[in-house]
Amino acid sequence: MDEVNVRIDVNGVNREEKIEPRTLLVHFLRENLGLTGTHIGCDTSNCGACTVLLDGKAVKSCTVLAVQANGRKVLTIEGLGKGGLHPIQKAFLEKQALQCGYCTPGMIMSAYWLLSENPSPDEEQVKRGISGNLCRCTGYRSIIEAIMLASKEMSAGRTHGRDGR
Ligand code: FES
Ligand code: FES
């Protein structure tokens, strides 16, 4: 199959690669760029382990072709934690919101999108925000608590000029 050129801003860096047109964004990130923080948990677009932000909006990267991201911006878990742990990552640690960790990058990217859209969600809104992300380990309680905690920390950071990225 003829390869095509794509140029995608990934975590603030322009990445240009030749790929087969059928390459999924998740494979582009993991295999072409070595960004293995984005996980693959299913092949049915159900689990959310592959969630990244495309132009600021959460998408399941197993449902997007890399060519569809051409000329656009992608944020992955590696980019989120680039300047040190993000407040959402810190809250996940504090609330022990992970066990095997397989769902965690996708869960955190969905939480990040949720908090970008709605900085002070209530519990129901948090549940809806992560409804596309499956976790087999935690029972979700600690994840919800972590996102609520991150929302408080990020709001306080904004008020006090701390890092509320
Ligand atoms: S790997 Fe994308 S939703 Fe499961
Ligand atoms: S921590 Fe294991 S799947 Fe969520």
Side-chain angles (χ1 to χ4, degrees), residues 15-68:
R15 309 297 298 254
E16 202 164 345
E17 298 277 325
K18 276 204 180 310
I19 55 168
E20 287 190 8
R22 64 180 176 180
T23 307
L24 293 171
L25 181 58
V26 67
H27 292 140
F28 176 77
L29 294 170
R30 289 177 56 85
E31 288 156 28
N32 291 71
L33 305 186
L35 296 173
T36 53
T38 301
H39 290 168
I40 303 172
C42 68
D43 54 9
T44 52
S45 79
N46 279 319
C47 75
C50 63
T51 304
V52 299
L53 266 65
L54 180 58
D55 285 343
K57 186 173 183 277
V59 295
K60 291 178 176 175
S61 59
C62 72
T63 66
V64 178
L65 292 167
V67 292
Q68 292 176 288

Side-chain angles (χ1 to χ4, degrees), residues 61-136:
S61 59
C62 72
T63 66
V64 178
L65 292 167
V67 292
Q68 292 176 288
N70 191 28
R72 301 171 73 185
K73 286 184 192 229
V74 172
L75 181 70
T76 71
I77 192 72
E78 289 90 348
L80 192 69
K82 205 151 91 175
L85 286 185
H86 185 276
I88 302 173
Q89 293 173 304
K90 288 184 189 162
F92 267 63
L93 282 176
E94 186 168 332
K95 292 290 178 183
Q96 299 184 359
L98 60 150
Q99 288 177 31
C100 79
Y102 204 84
C103 69
T104 310
M107 200 63 92
I108 287 177
M109 296 312 289
S110 288
Y112 178 74
W113 185 48
L114 168 70
L115 297 181
S116 328
E117 296 282 300
N118 177 5
S120 304
D122 62 26
E123 198 173 308
E124 281 313 306
Q125 290 168 327
V126 170
K127 284 183 190 168
R128 273 204 298 280
I130 57 166
S131 59
N133 294 76
L134 302 181
C135 176
R136 286 178 178 266

